[in-house]
Amino acid sequence: MRVPRHVVEARRSRLTELLLERGYLPISELCEELGVSEATARRDLSALESEERITRTYGGALGEFNATFTSFRERLRHDTEAKGGIARAAASLVKPGMKVYLDAGTTAFAIAQELRRHLPERLTIITNNLALLETLGTLPGAKTIVLGGQLLERQSVLLGNEAVKAATAQEIDLAFLSAQGMTDTGLWNSQRDIIRLQHAVMKRAGRSCFCLDRSKLGRTAPEHLGAWTRVGTLISDLSLPELRQAGITLKPGTLLPTHP
Amino acid sequence: MRVPRHVVEARRSRLTELLLERGYLPISELCEELGVSEATARRDLSALESEERITRTYGGALGEFNATFTSFRERLRHDTEAKGGIARAAASLVKPGMKVYLDAGTTAFAIAQELRRHLPERLTIITNNLALLETLGTLPGAKTIVLGGQLLERQSVLLGNEAVKAATAQEIDLAFLSAQGMTDTGLWNSQRDIIRLQHAVMKRAGRSCFCLDRSKLGRTAPEHLGAWTRVGTLISDLSLPELRQAGITLKPGTLLPTHP
DNA sequence: TCATAAATGATTGACCTCGATCATATCAGA
DNA sequence: TCTGATATGATCGAGGTCAATCATTTATGA
């Protein structure tokens, strides 16, 4: 029996809401909850999946409450080799008792995962990156401080005046920062608010490590983050000759190569 | 071929890590990733499930990346009737353009879900409750501000000096607060840090609404939150006579009954 | 009003998942 | 060293899931 269009839409919204609330539901429960046959439930799932509003699994479906966060995982999975090497190098700098800042971006995610594997004692982690919290929330013996701020839609980062103000009140031993591009004139990032926060963090940090893989070489972005003189340490899978070829000359000891 | 115990343990840790990273994995990918047969993968899954470290689904498994957050959903699902009524009453107070504070607790979660359904324009939502972000992050046209602070293990709340300081810098029209218990002497909550933050919020808020369902009546908690004179509005499924019977007398207009 | 398009539920067959069972290999403890 | 316990992979049957198809009903729009 055909049913009006708006009813279909309403049921599908309800389905996504349900999945958003419950995380995962098997087909059988979906049918019961929506009061439709299995066939219709499947049809709804296909439709919503093709709109990328949910994720189907064999036997059920997942809500994209991940949508905010999994995009991260997705991106992370792309160039894991480089990111992993950078993360291992970064983690090797972290010593017991340190206060470490992790900023936005997938590299920070990789570093957090690496720290989860080899966790120094009495660590304090400061971040504005919500995607890390799932990873960091369960670290035993570590303290996690989140800088406040405004939640960016579609991102999982907190930014704005609140974040900058909160950052200036922190003590940081070691800051891991990232950028969207690097050229001979320095580093580039996409948003002014991100850069403002990064500047505030750099001012408070004993050591600022920028983590950029080779895909960033030669690229620019709308906003200039700073000249190379402001970079204390660069962690990258690039070599000094490669950097020099791009017109980038670093002070000796600035480049930290990635770990295997 | 039998394999040493520590190898089994290592593989199972890796499995939980994988699920934590990827959210969901079907059996087939797990086998490939771990290099074991389907049978062994299933055995690992059963073992991990009985330890409650993962959630199995038909055809795969979910990491407890929910662990931090789903416990919320779990708790929320318990007394939804009362919570839903409270949430609807609370949401009815929210008008376009308001700055609304939501604090920790499952009631705030219910309110956020209600706001998602009926979203006033140009809303600003201020919270220290991370469990809400999945819900609030995708609200179109709303602005979400997160108070910074220290991440509480096993909780999804930010607390501490940072949070209090951030709260005193906010303007709030309407604050929805909760408590663990209510008696004739006032409201009670579990932790001093939570209460400190609530006091800071109440000081900045034009109107403070406490949301407590009937299960809280007569219960106390380690810390005293405040006397009834500090309560601007009480949203509850309790009636005035029921409250009076427990020795609680409210100024007229203080009690807002739940909505059906 | 009528014809068309669309939504639904039932059915079917192919494929998949799951747990149980069994033989085998190897770890762990006596 | 020897023996029992245990991890593993293969196999199998029961039952579940899925997409496709079909008949039926009803919204939609001309």
Side-chain angles (χ1 to χ4, degrees):
Chain A
M1 323 131 181
R2 187 180 180 191
V3 107
R5 187 69 209 170
H6 65 89
V7 172
V8 177
E9 292 303 334
R11 189 185 56 231
R12 293 189 178 165
S13 308
R14 203 162 110 68
L15 202 164
T16 57
E17 287 294 327
L18 269 171
L19 287 173
L20 229 48
E21 284 173 30
R22 313 266 289 260
Y24 167 84
L25 282 175
I27 286 271
S28 55
E29 289 195 32
L30 284 176
C31 300
E32 198 179 337
E33 205 75 51
L34 300 175
V36 294
S37 76
E38 225 172 71
T40 302
R42 283 184 210 288
R43 274 188 276 257
D44 284 353
L45 290 182
S46 321
L48 292 171
E49 187 186 34
S50 66
E51 295 171 38
E52 299 192 333
R53 293 172 61 187
I54 62 156
T55 309
R56 289 189 75 176
T57 72
Y58 200 95
L62 298 168
E64 288 289 74
F65 58 106
N66 318 336
T68 356
F69 296 158
T70 33
S71 58
F72 251 83
R73 299 186 194 170
E74 294 288 340
R75 270 191 281 157
L76 182 61
R77 219 168 309 151
H78 284 326
D79 25 30
T80 333
E81 342 74 41
K83 290 265 168 60
I86 290 175
R88 279 187 291 278
S92 74
L93 298 177
V94 180
K95 307 297 177 205
M98 272 193 173
K99 297 182 174 157
V100 177
Y101 177 84
L102 298 176
D103 82 344
T106 54
T107 312
F109 198 100
I111 296 174
Q113 291 190 334
E114 189 58 30
L115 287 176
R116 171 194 271 275
R117 296 191 175 284
H118 311 287
L119 182 66
E121 311 261 304
R122 306 185 317 283
L123 210 58
T124 303
I125 298 173
I126 302 162
T127 188
N128 69 326
N129 187 340
L130 298 173
L132 307 183
L133 297 188
E134 295 169 3
T135 308
L136 299 177
T138 54
L139 289 186
K143 183 171 152 186
T144 304
I145 291 177
V146 178
L147 303 179
Q150 185 179 344
L151 179 63
L152 252 65
E153 214 175 325
R154 288 269 115 206
Q155 302 258 14
S156 46
V157 187
L158 301 175
L159 288 177
N161 289 328
E162 278 94 353
V164 172
K165 206 188 299 173
T168 56
Q170 295 295 327
E171 280 179 36
I172 300 169
D173 295 314
L174 191 52
F176 293 110
L177 304 163
S178 59
Q180 302 248 337
M182 51 177 155
T183 64
D184 54 340
T185 58
L187 298 171
W188 302 80
N189 226 333
S190 55
Q191 291 180 51
R192 177 163 295 274
D193 272 346
I194 295 179
I195 292 179
R196 279 179 57 214
L197 178 59
Q198 289 183 319
H199 284 167
V201 168
M202 287 163 74
K203 200 168 282 179
R204 303 294 303 170
R207 183 175 182 184
S208 296
C209 300
F210 279 84
C211 308
L212 288 90
D213 64 85
R214 63 188 330 119
S215 72
K216 308 297 196 310
L217 186 62
R219 288 172 55 182
T220 64
E223 302 281 342
H224 192 244
L225 201 164
W228 283 104
T229 52
R230 302 189 65 168
V231 176
T233 304
L234 174 67
I235 304 180
S236 178
D237 54 340
L238 288 161
S239 65
L240 278 175
E242 286 176 305
L243 286 164
R244 202 173 309 120
Q245 198 171 357
I248 300 169
T249 319
L250 298 176
K251 276 176 290 188
T254 301
L255 179 67
L256 178 65
T258 60
H259 287 197
Chain B
M1 319 131 181
R2 188 182 178 192
V3 107
R5 187 69 208 167
H6 64 90
V7 172
V8 178
E9 292 303 335
R11 189 185 56 231
R12 294 189 177 166
S13 309
R14 202 162 111 66
L15 202 164
T16 56
E17 287 294 326
L18 269 171
L19 287 173
L20 229 47
E21 285 173 30
R22 313 265 289 260
Y24 168 84
L25 281 174
I27 287 270
S28 56
E29 289 196 32
L30 284 176
C31 298
E32 196 179 339
E33 205 75 54
L34 299 175
V36 294
S37 76
E38 227 172 69
T40 302
R42 284 185 210 287
R43 273 188 276 258
D44 284 353
L45 289 183
S46 320
L48 291 171
E49 187 185 34
S50 66
E51 295 171 39
E52 298 192 333
R53 293 172 60 186
I54 61 156
T55 311
R56 290 189 76 177
T57 72
Y58 200 94
L62 298 168
E64 291 288 73
F65 57 110
N66 320 337
T68 358
F69 296 156
T70 34
S71 59
F72 251 83
R73 297 177 221 257
E74 295 287 340
R75 269 191 281 157
L76 182 60
R77 220 168 309 152
H78 283 328
D79 25 30
T80 333
E81 340 75 40
K83 290 264 167 61
I86 290 175
R88 280 186 291 277
S92 74
L93 297 177
V94 179
K95 306 298 176 203
M98 272 193 173
K99 297 183 172 151
V100 177
Y101 177 85
L102 297 176
D103 82 343
T106 54
T107 311
F109 197 99
I111 296 174
Q113 292 190 334
E114 190 58 31
L115 287 176
R116 171 195 271 274
R117 296 191 176 284
H118 311 287
L119 182 66
E121 310 261 304
R122 305 184 317 282
L123 211 58
T124 302
I125 298 173
I126 302 162
T127 187
N128 71 326
N129 187 341
L130 297 173
L132 306 183
L133 297 187
E134 295 169 3
T135 308
L136 299 177
T138 54
L139 289 187
K143 183 171 152 185
T144 304
I145 290 177
V146 178
L147 302 180
Q150 184 178 344
L151 179 64
L152 252 65
E153 215 174 326
R154 289 269 114 208
Q155 303 258 15
S156 46
V157 187
L158 302 174
L159 288 177
N161 289 328
E162 279 94 352
V164 171
K165 206 187 300 174
T168 55
Q170 294 295 328
E171 279 178 36
I172 299 170
D173 295 313
L174 191 52
F176 293 109
L177 303 163
S178 59
Q180 303 248 335
M182 51 178 156
T183 64
D184 53 340
T185 58
L187 299 171
W188 301 80
N189 226 333
S190 55
Q191 291 180 52
R192 178 163 294 274
D193 271 347
I194 294 179
I195 291 178
R196 279 179 57 215
L197 179 58
Q198 289 182 320
H199 283 168
V201 167
M202 288 162 73
K203 200 167 285 178
R204 302 294 303 169
R207 183 175 180 184
S208 296
C209 300
F210 279 85
C211 308
L212 289 91
D213 65 85
R214 64 188 329 120
S215 72
K216 308 296 196 309
L217 186 62
R219 287 171 56 182
T220 64
E223 303 282 341
H224 193 245
L225 200 166
W228 284 104
T229 51
R230 303 189 64 169
V231 176
T233 304
L234 174 67
I235 304 180
S236 177
D237 54 340
L238 288 161
S239 65
L240 278 175
E242 286 175 304
L243 286 163
R244 202 172 310 120
Q245 197 172 358
I248 299 169
T249 318
L250 297 177
K251 274 177 290 187
T254 301
L255 179 67
L256 178 64
T258 61
H259 287 197

